[in-house]
Amino acid sequence: MQAALIARFGRIVRPPEKRRDAPWVLVQGVIGARTKTRVSNDATDRLLADFGTWEAAAQTPVEALETRLANQTFPDIAAQRLKDCLLAVIDRRGAADLGHLAEMPTAEAMAWLETLPGVARKISASVMNTSRFERPALVIDSHHRRIVQRMGLVPPTADTARAYDALMPVLPEEWSAADIDEHHLLVKRLGQTLCRPAHPECADCPVRSDCRTGRARTDALSRPLTHPG
């Protein structure tokens, strides 16, 4: 699958300067539900520029945070989750700091993150994989989950945590954190271009031969029409 995606889309490698510190990635994830990554990235940068520190953002009234998150799909929910999450980190750590996670095994660190308000498996994996921690954890967003469900790699009803638990053990052992990150970005690109929620373009999909849904759809289209005698 990885080779076929690279052949179609080319390499998608996150440059080192695009890796942010862990609190930034946490905030971006918490406010980013159903919102394009670029929009959430810009909002996270604006928040830090406006407040200077995440501690200051945490002390800001929810209404003021909501105003600053107006471009998010659900600004009211994003604002409340952001405040609750930051206050929880500060309460436990004394500051909006996640440095202690660097000393923890990846699974243990992700479990700690998932006790925070608004944080589930996608965000915990993103904090560990795409931040400067650069740990081997597979980020699974809605595009990624839809594709692996259609391919038959996980059950159709699998949520993100179940998909993660199924896929992590079968990733190549030699893959680095950067390789895992690139795999997610390639699968996401597939979901944004060909394997969309409605009307997937299976005939043009580079991984159709490995996809249960793609094979079934193309086989159906190739069958000759029959007419009643």
Side-chain angles (χ1 to χ4, degrees):
M1 181 179 184
Q2 181 81 336
L5 291 173
I6 290 174
R8 170 60 64 89
F9 299 117
R11 304 299 302 271
I12 308 179
V13 179
R14 191 185 307 271
E17 65 271 16
K18 293 295 185 180
R19 292 190 175 274
R20 308 294 193 103
D21 60 24
W24 188 98
V25 179
L26 176 65
V27 168
Q28 193 272 355
V30 168
I31 69 173
R34 303 291 182 179
T35 304
K36 291 185 181 298
T37 300
R38 175 184 53 78
V39 174
S40 296
N41 288 350
D42 291 345
T44 306
D45 283 337
R46 283 196 306 272
L47 286 168
L48 194 54
D50 287 350
F51 296 113
T53 66
W54 296 123
E55 290 82 3
Q59 299 304 319
T60 301
V62 170
E63 295 77 13
L65 291 174
E66 184 177 342
T67 298
R68 286 174 168 82
L69 296 173
N71 289 336
Q72 301 301 111
T73 302
F74 304 111
D76 55 336
I77 297 174
Q80 189 64 61
R81 284 181 175 172
L82 173 61
K83 187 175 179 70
D84 291 346
C85 185
L86 287 175
L87 287 175
V89 174
I90 294 167
D91 180 63
R92 299 178 196 184
R93 298 290 302 154
D97 176 71
L98 298 175
H100 69 295
L101 300 180
E103 307 302 320
M104 299 167 66
T106 301
E108 185 179 332
M110 290 173 63
W112 188 93
L113 287 164
E114 289 172 26
T115 65
L116 298 172
V119 178
R121 187 61 51 86
K122 174 194 170 186
I123 296 175
S124 68
S126 184
V127 170
M128 298 310 297
N129 180 259
T130 70
S131 76
R132 296 189 183 106
F133 286 145
E134 205 167 344
R135 295 284 191 86
L138 179 62
V139 179
I140 301 176
D141 64 5
S142 58
H143 292 293
H144 199 138
R145 189 175 72 246
R146 178 176 70 253
I147 289 169
V148 295
Q149 286 171 338
R150 285 175 171 172
M151 292 186 75
L153 297 175
V154 302
T157 58
D159 61 11
T160 299
R162 187 175 176 187
Y164 179 93
D165 292 341
L167 295 175
M168 279 298 296
V170 299
L171 296 181
E173 292 183 3
E174 68 272 15
W175 275 13
S176 66
D179 293 326
I180 295 174
D181 182 30
E182 182 178 23
H183 178 67
H184 166 66
L185 294 174
L186 285 162
V187 176
K188 181 177 180 178
R189 179 70 58 83
L190 179 65
Q192 292 170 329
T193 56
L194 298 174
C195 196
R196 293 184 290 257
H199 311 298
E201 299 177 26
C202 296
D204 194 36
C205 179
V207 296
R208 183 186 66 223
S209 62
D210 294 317
C211 178
R212 182 173 60 192
T213 301
R215 291 196 306 269
R217 284 170 59 90
T218 52
D219 287 348
L221 290 173
S222 66
R223 294 192 192 103
L225 295 175
T226 59
H227 300 280

